[in-house]
Amino acid sequence: MTSVNTRATWTPWLYLAPALAVLGGLLVYPVYQLGLISLFEYTQAQVSGGAPTAFQGFGNYSALFSDPEFWQVLLATVLFAAACVVSTLAVGCALAVLLTRVRALPRLALMLAALGAWATPAVTGSTVWLFLFDPDFGPVNRLLGLGDHSWTYGRLSAFLLVLLEVVWCSFPFVMVTVYAGIRAVPAEVLEAAALDGASQWRIWRSVLAPMLRPVLTVVTIQSVIWDFKVFTQIYVMTNGGGIAGQNLVLNVYAYQQAFASSQYSLGSAIGVVMLLILLAVTLVYLRLLHRQGEEL
């Protein structure tokens, strides 16, 4: 009996062993190297084969946390990610509800268009959005009568332009996931709410949202993780962080420190800080999933 229980315990791990080995090589070792470099003074000299420098301990982290620019970039990253998450959820949930109200052909067209946006590479999507809002040749300024207004010149307008692109390529995941959740809700519940005179907003707030809480939790946490580490859209659309770095986020800030300034140890320290923040978000996500599993 004991051998049977032991075999049942180890069998799943044997099946997972190849995947764990691959993940260990692709994730664990790079994270280890990232943390190790952040503890040394690693510059272009070391990249070129120079002798390693003395151990710095947490000196890079001390320099990072004492730099006012880091805290400004961190605040901008948090606010920008929060705006992206809220906008993505609003657009995705609204279109998910719309999918339940339209006929099959419009629903299929909307799904295909959304999945096309989702499948578009970030560099391609960012370049297209830059063209659409180009002050000289873009159609948006002509339609709005804004002349040669440059959207990437101002700090807020540049963040707004990037936010629109991020929402455009992110809302399909929310839309499809929430739509699948809505279709799983019994039709009798929605019919009863409608017969009681509830408006569409009241049905969503009082009926659908509570029943879709597990789904909404998943898409919210994943959106937070994705939007917090946005890099390509900011880098491409603001030309590396905007004028005088006015549109920097942590990922772009780490890239500039590591590759533009050759302060690889400082860039690694920023990467470790981002990793810890996202790890905390992931732990909250797993805890919420576990709690919802117990409630179900």
Side-chain angles (χ1 to χ4, degrees):
M1 188 68 178
T2 304
S3 60
V4 174
N5 293 334
T6 303
R7 184 182 303 175
T9 302
W10 285 102
T11 298
W13 291 104
L14 292 176
Y15 285 113
L16 290 174
L20 293 176
V22 173
L23 290 176
L26 295 178
L27 297 177
V28 177
Y29 182 74
V31 169
Y32 163 75
Q33 286 293 331
L34 183 72
L36 186 63
I37 292 175
S38 69
L39 300 177
F40 289 84
E41 186 180 352
Y42 204 85
T43 60
Q44 187 62 42
Q46 283 69 47
V47 174
S48 302
T53 58
F55 179 72
Q56 298 293 319
F58 293 100
N60 292 315
Y61 295 94
S62 177
L64 182 66
F65 294 147
S66 62
D67 186 1
E69 185 180 14
F70 167 75
W71 296 106
Q72 294 174 5
V73 173
L74 177 60
L75 178 61
T77 304
V78 171
L79 294 178
F80 176 73
C84 288
V85 170
V86 172
S87 302
T88 302
L89 290 176
V91 173
C93 291
L95 291 178
V97 174
L98 178 63
L99 287 176
T100 64
R101 305 294 178 186
V102 298
R103 296 182 180 274
L105 189 58
R107 183 188 308 124
L108 178 62
L110 180 56
M111 295 276 285
L112 291 177
L115 293 177
W118 194 13
T120 302
V123 174
T124 304
S126 301
T127 304
V128 170
W129 276 78
L130 274 180
F131 168 74
L132 293 175
F133 288 84
D134 185 85
D136 298 320
F137 307 104
V140 174
N141 279 10
R142 296 182 182 180
L143 291 175
L144 299 179
L146 297 177
D148 59 351
H149 172 72
S150 176
W151 291 81
T152 58
Y153 184 80
R155 183 170 188 260
L156 294 180
S157 61
F159 269 129
L160 176 62
L161 182 58
V162 178
L163 181 145
L164 293 175
E165 201 280 336
V166 171
V167 172
W168 173 77
C169 67
S170 301
F171 83 86
F173 169 74
V174 178
M175 182 190 74
V176 173
T177 306
V178 174
Y179 173 71
I182 293 176
R183 299 299 295 179
V185 175
E188 296 80 5
V189 176
L190 302 180
E191 292 177 359
L195 290 176
D196 288 339
S199 62
Q200 294 299 322
W201 168 247
R202 184 61 182 274
I203 292 176
W204 167 261
R205 188 186 64 177
S206 302
V207 180
L208 285 177
M211 299 185 70
L212 295 175
R213 187 179 301 169
V215 174
L216 294 176
T217 300
V218 170
V219 297
T220 299
I221 299 300
Q222 291 190 350
S223 296
V224 169
I225 295 174
W226 290 342
D227 295 337
F228 188 80
K229 58 186 184 67
V230 165
F231 173 82
T232 304
Q233 291 88 342
I234 288 284
Y235 191 83
V236 172
M237 300 180 72
T238 66
N239 195 23
I243 301 173
Q246 64 181 2
N247 297 112
L248 284 177
V249 293
L250 278 181
N251 244 347
V252 180
Y253 183 55
Y255 177 86
Q256 287 190 353
Q257 293 296 325
F259 298 100
S261 302
S262 297
Q263 296 292 331
Y264 298 98
S265 54
L266 193 59
S268 298
I270 299 172
V272 171
V273 172
M274 289 188 60
L275 176 64
L276 293 176
I277 294 174
L278 292 178
L279 180 61
V281 174
T282 303
L283 291 176
V284 172
Y285 164 59
L286 294 176
R287 183 176 178 83
L288 289 174
L289 284 183
H290 178 70
R291 182 180 301 175
Q292 290 170 0
E294 291 179 347
E295 292 176 355
L296 295 176

